[in-house]
Amino acid sequence: MDAVKEINSEMRQIAYGWLDKDRNRYKKLDGFDEKYILQVPHQLLESKLGVCWDRVELERKLFTEKKIKTSSYFIVHYGRDKCPTHTFILFKHIGKTYWYEHSWTPMRGIHEYKNENDALKDIRAKFIDNELQGKYNPNNLMIYKYTAPNKNLSCSEFFDHCKKGEVIKL
């Protein structure tokens, strides 16, 4: 998996944060819902600042260049005042499924599973434990398998794009 090591090298250059449409830089999520714009891979490589949504698009590009097929996922817990989300990539290699994680710092790494279903169950459990601190409504927790979005989507446009993807039932 030398190709994945090369991808890691590229991803290490990216810090956590986001840009708005005017290319203003933010480290905190204040104003994210109103101002965020999804960066395309070359923009992220330039800015070196992105959230998981941006990073997955760069990861998708880097894996594709290495001829490694990926699937992208969006996990979300719908709530009244908060709506935690995460996007991530899975890929297959020699009969196993791997979760490639770079932006969720406590989970950073390459995680091996027997299959896609096992990977998704584990990621879901980690999201519930770590991001939701175990407090969640199962009816409000969704996982979508989504395709590459258009460039420079707003926060709500990105949500809408992901929700058009395949609903994953675990």
Side-chain angles (χ1 to χ4, degrees):
M1 290 214 284
D2 289 338
V4 179
K5 288 180 185 174
E6 291 174 30
I7 292 168
N8 267 337
S9 176
E10 288 277 348
M11 296 308 297
R12 271 190 222 108
Q13 300 173 40
I14 311 297
Y16 190 83
W18 57 281
L19 301 180
D20 65 19
K21 66 180 178 174
D22 298 318
R23 310 288 291 158
N24 295 312
R25 301 168 70 85
Y26 301 86
K27 292 281 188 175
K28 296 185 179 176
L29 293 177
D30 299 335
F32 183 83
D33 294 350
E34 299 84 32
K35 298 179 185 178
Y36 172 81
I37 295 294
L38 180 70
Q39 296 176 78
V40 294
H42 79 272
Q43 291 170 321
L44 182 56
L45 287 170
E46 262 178 39
S47 72
K48 301 204 182 310
L49 185 73
V51 294
C52 60
W53 299 3
D54 306 301
R55 291 174 188 220
V56 162
E57 296 316 309
L58 176 56
E59 292 164 3
R60 183 192 313 275
K61 175 187 180 296
L62 296 172
F63 275 91
T64 299
E65 287 173 353
K66 303 287 184 196
K67 309 272 191 270
I68 300 171
K69 187 177 181 320
T70 62
S71 298
S72 55
Y73 298 86
F74 178 77
I75 186 169
V76 58
H77 185 264
Y78 296 104
R80 288 186 187 169
D81 57 344
K82 279 184 151 182
C83 197
T85 71
H86 185 57
T87 57
F88 57 93
I89 290 267
L90 296 181
F91 69 94
K92 293 188 190 285
H93 180 70
I94 311 176
K96 303 251 184 192
T97 297
Y98 293 87
W99 168 26
Y100 179 84
E101 182 58 58
H102 194 270
S103 86
W104 190 4
T105 305
M107 302 304 148
R108 184 172 286 166
I110 302 161
H111 310 270
E112 181 182 300
Y113 301 91
K114 285 188 230 174
N115 56 53
E116 183 178 359
N117 198 47
D118 286 354
L120 292 169
K121 284 181 180 177
D122 184 53
I123 296 163
R124 180 182 182 273
K126 285 175 172 42
F127 186 80
I128 290 167
D129 291 345
N130 293 279
E131 298 302 306
L132 305 176
Q133 286 80 45
K135 299 175 188 159
Y136 76 104
N137 178 336
N139 296 324
N140 293 357
L141 185 63
M142 301 293 295
I143 300 175
Y144 302 95
K145 184 176 187 177
Y146 70 97
T147 58
N150 292 327
K151 64 180 185 174
N152 301 123
L153 298 180
S154 69
C155 183
S156 62
E157 290 169 331
F158 184 74
F159 257 80
D160 290 344
H161 173 78
C162 292
K163 290 186 332 190
K164 290 176 186 168
E166 176 188 349
V167 175
I168 303 296
K169 302 281 188 191
L170 298 176

